[in-house]
Amino acid sequence: MNLASPASLDFNNTEIAFKSKSDKDLTQAYWLFKMVSSNMLIKIGTPITNFSLNIGLPIQNIIKNTIYKQFCGGVSIEDCSESIADLGKGNVTTILDYSVEGEDSEASFDQTFQEILKTVESAKSNPLISFCVFKPTGLGRFDLLAKIDAKEILTTEEQEEFIRIKYRCNEICKACYEGNIRVLIDAEHSWIQDTIDDIAREMMEKYNVEKPIVYNTYQLYRHDKLASLKADFAYAKLQQFHLGAKIVRGAYMEIERERANEKGYPSPIQKNKAGSDTDYDLAIQFCLDHIDKIGLMAGTHNEDSAKLLAGELSRRNISNNLPNIFFAQLLGMSDNLSFNLASAGYNVAKYMPYGPVKAVMPYLFRRAQENTSVGGQTSRELSLIIKEQQRRKKQK
Ligand SMILES: Cc1cc2nc3c(=O)[nH]c(=O)nc-3n(C[C@H](O)[C@H](O)[C@H](O)COP(=O)(O)OP(=O)(O)OC[C@H]3O[C@@H](n4cnc5c(N)ncnc54)[C@H](O)[C@@H]3O)c2cc1C
């Protein structure tokens, strides 16, 4: 049992955080974060990049050597092997995330489905891969999920289409269950989320009887999601299965608020950041209260949230590396959290997005936009990179 004190956790230890990064890697990361911190550049750059890719300008190599290199593992699973090993050297595990987004054809859903099954196969033979993951809109049409969420009547073709989505979800969860691999179901926009939640609940009921295999995602920037977590747990308890809960704040705040405003319904988002923070912490506490029956993943780049969870494990005498508890971050972000937590013996996993450059652009634009926010993650990333560069200079 590993009960290292959280007092020894130092998220400012840049030596541990950037151990796998060469001086050149650090310089590149510095310029990249400097670039994405410019709101103007991202606003102008996003449509220009899309346009250039669409008309076939040869900019893929530029993207691949800059933003893609920072946030993605490679174009294929094989291509990710070096990045997986690099994380592994710091005791950080990988979540292979096939990040193709915005596709809309049955052929592309089938292709994504097959690719996710390949990630399950890779996880079975590689202990450095701790979870699989899928985004429901990678397996089925967004508009169909929205129609079901809105309780609209489906045509016969649409009913068949929905059966195919559920089939793909079930086959992935079943493969994970048979291979003893945990699988995360990502959360998306609120107007398709009830349908996703229904599928996730069905999968958990089927595959989480012995232990948490399937994890649904709870976005605590929604004011109703702490209640959903509690209701799902009550149902799981009644039906005697384990709940899998990935706890995040949520990635679609602006779009949620805009849509609610446009359509004239109350926004599902908390009134302010403090509201999201409070419910995030309460959700973590709730999962810890029932940790014998809940698999918890804290997906966050927030230092206070990471400290809260580490502190609570110590206060409650829970082992740091209990298999039911994972911290998780995204590749290329918050390495100071990931590697310092792993170095202190906590379970840590990082999403490693991969896929063809053009297809992962929506994911990369989201990361870039997230990093432009004033006082947001970028200034923190930049100050840590500078700190490490100065530390290395002094050592020479
Ligand atoms: C491993 C991992 C998995 C993830 N999976 C998903 C997923 O499946 N679905 C998903 O939607 N997101 C997902 N995310 C993204 C996540 O939801 C957050 O957008 C991101 O991590 C930033 O939040 P934070 O907790 O790291 O930190 P912070 O920087 O402290 O919080 C920023 C977040 O706080 C919230 N916020 C900011 N301002 C306000 C405001 N004025 N009012 C209310 N809330 C506010 C927003 O959610 C914002 O993203 C994932 C993140 C990680 C690390």
Side-chain angles (χ1 to χ4, degrees), residues 95 133 135 184-189 217 219-221 246-253 257 269-277 280 297-303 305 327-330 334 349-351 367 370 376-377:
I95 304 165
V133 63
K135 218 182 203 55
L184 309 163
I185 303 180
D186 276 352
E188 306 194 52
H189 304 78
T217 302
Q219 298 159 308
L220 277 304
Y221 69 178
K246 169 158 65 96
I247 306 295
V248 300
R249 281 182 171 76
Y252 309 96
M253 183 174 73
R257 283 186 169 147
I269 305 298
Q270 308 264 9
K271 284 205 168 56
N272 49 39
K273 172 81 162 63
S276 300
D277 293 346
Y280 191 92
M297 170 175 279
T300 185
H301 299 142
N302 181 303
E303 288 192 19
S305 298
F327 293 80
Q329 286 79 41
L330 307 178
S334 297
K350 259 173 131 76
Y351 266 48
R367 292 292 78 78
E370 193 174 286
Q377 190 59 26

Side-chain angles (χ1 to χ4, degrees), residues 71-140:
F71 297 116
C72 296
V75 291
S76 63
I77 296 177
E78 298 73 44
D79 209 21
C80 289
S81 53
E82 204 177 307
S83 302
I84 297 172
D86 275 350
L87 294 185
K89 281 182 204 148
N91 288 329
V92 171
T93 58
T94 291
I95 304 165
L96 276 177
D97 176 20
Y98 185 60
S99 289
V100 170
E101 291 185 23
E103 305 284 330
D104 228 5
S105 69
E106 284 297 298
S108 77
F109 299 140
D110 275 332
Q111 196 263 331
T112 299
F113 166 56
Q114 293 301 337
E115 186 64 34
I116 293 166
L117 287 177
K118 280 191 205 160
T119 66
V120 181
E121 282 309 306
S122 304
K124 279 202 246 173
S125 59
N126 187 350
L128 287 176
I129 302 173
S130 49
F131 286 80
C132 288
V133 63
F134 67 89
K135 218 182 203 55
T137 52
L139 302 175

Side-chain angles (χ1 to χ4, degrees), residues 344-363:
Y346 298 92
N347 296 322
V348 182
K350 259 173 131 76
Y351 266 48
M352 186 178 291
Y354 75 95
V357 175
K358 196 175 165 197
V360 302
M361 285 319 288
Y363 174 86

